[in-house]
Amino acid sequence: VVVEGNATEAPHISSKMEVRVLFDTGPHKWAELRAPPLNSLALSTNWSFFKPEIYPSCFWSIEDDYVPVRGNRSDINVSVEVYPISTMAWAVQKQMAKQWEQQAEVGLSTGKDTFMIKRMILTTNPITLVFSVVFLLSHTIFGFFQLKNEVQFWRNVDSMHGLSARSMGIGLVTRLIVALYLWDSEAKTSKMI
């Protein structure tokens, strides 16, 4: 694994390895087994159950877990932990990993962004994290309501009587300044903004 961000990139190894065993006793319909990610499971010969999925996982490894490999080092400690994982958690992890790979291919995110999201999920208090998600979702919904109301207002305006051209101009200039700032500092800010 090569960790990004350094001027000279060097190979790294994860000091934490998790071996996951997919554990599921619930019944599944044929349509579910043909859809991703369950379609990657190996079914038994009589099609009544799937063979256990055992795989190494570095999904929750963050930058601090990687140790640089230089020369003939023999002092690297690697901890191996074996955990069962439910089908739902396995499907969510597989989907998130696939999504991050697709975003990296398109250029929407980097490995650094992925590590930042993982660190945020692992180190943030769950109550704070839930509050932040609820706040962001409500802010997004109210933003859509605002846009809808603005569109309705401007469609129904017959004259500019009572509207301040100065306040509209100041709003346009401030939005332009913010957009130029984000465009200029694209290396420091996420492209998702």
Side-chain angles (χ1 to χ4, degrees):
V1 175
V2 176
V3 178
E4 298 177 7
N6 299 339
T8 58
E9 295 180 353
H12 287 66
I13 187 168
S14 178
S15 62
K16 178 177 80 171
M17 174 62 76
E18 297 174 353
V19 177
R20 300 290 185 134
V21 179
L22 181 62
F23 179 76
D24 184 29
T25 58
H28 295 285
K29 298 177 184 174
W30 282 109
E32 293 175 4
L33 293 175
R34 283 186 243 137
L38 293 178
N39 62 351
S40 64
L41 295 175
L43 296 174
S44 66
T45 54
N46 61 0
W47 298 73
S48 60
F49 61 92
F50 59 85
K51 297 176 182 174
E53 178 87 11
I54 300 172
Y55 65 98
S57 174
C58 290
F59 183 80
W60 290 111
S61 296
I62 56 178
E63 291 170 318
D64 300 339
D65 296 330
Y66 288 94
V67 178
V69 179
R70 293 189 185 106
N72 295 331
R73 283 186 68 171
S74 60
D75 62 339
I76 299 174
N77 293 326
V78 177
S79 65
V80 178
E81 300 171 349
V82 180
Y83 290 112
I85 187 170
S86 68
T87 306
M88 183 172 172
W90 173 73
V92 167
Q93 283 186 6
K94 201 164 184 177
Q95 182 65 32
M96 285 176 70
K98 183 177 179 182
Q99 206 171 33
W100 288 335
E101 287 174 14
Q102 289 174 345
Q103 289 176 355
E105 287 175 3
V106 177
L108 291 176
S109 71
T110 62
K112 206 169 202 172
D113 294 334
T114 304
F115 285 133
M116 182 186 69
I117 291 170
K118 289 180 188 179
R119 177 177 283 118
M120 180 186 65
I121 292 171
L122 289 172
T123 60
T124 305
N125 182 355
I127 294 171
T128 306
L129 197 59
V130 168
F131 176 76
S132 299
V133 169
V134 169
F135 179 79
L136 288 172
L137 287 176
S138 63
H139 188 275
T140 303
I141 290 169
F142 287 127
F144 283 125
F145 286 151
Q146 177 190 3
L147 178 65
K148 180 187 75 84
N149 287 335
E150 284 186 18
V151 168
Q152 283 179 346
F153 173 77
W154 286 110
R155 281 189 177 166
N156 296 330
V157 169
D158 294 332
S159 69
M160 297 296 283
H161 182 70
L163 295 175
S164 169
R166 186 184 316 161
S167 65
M168 291 173 42
I170 290 172
L172 178 67
V173 168
T174 55
R175 288 180 185 161
L176 183 66
I177 290 171
V178 169
L180 289 173
Y181 171 75
L182 292 174
W183 179 67
D184 182 50
S185 62
E186 78 177 51
K188 297 176 189 172
T189 59
S190 175
K191 293 180 183 176
M192 298 302 288
I193 296 175

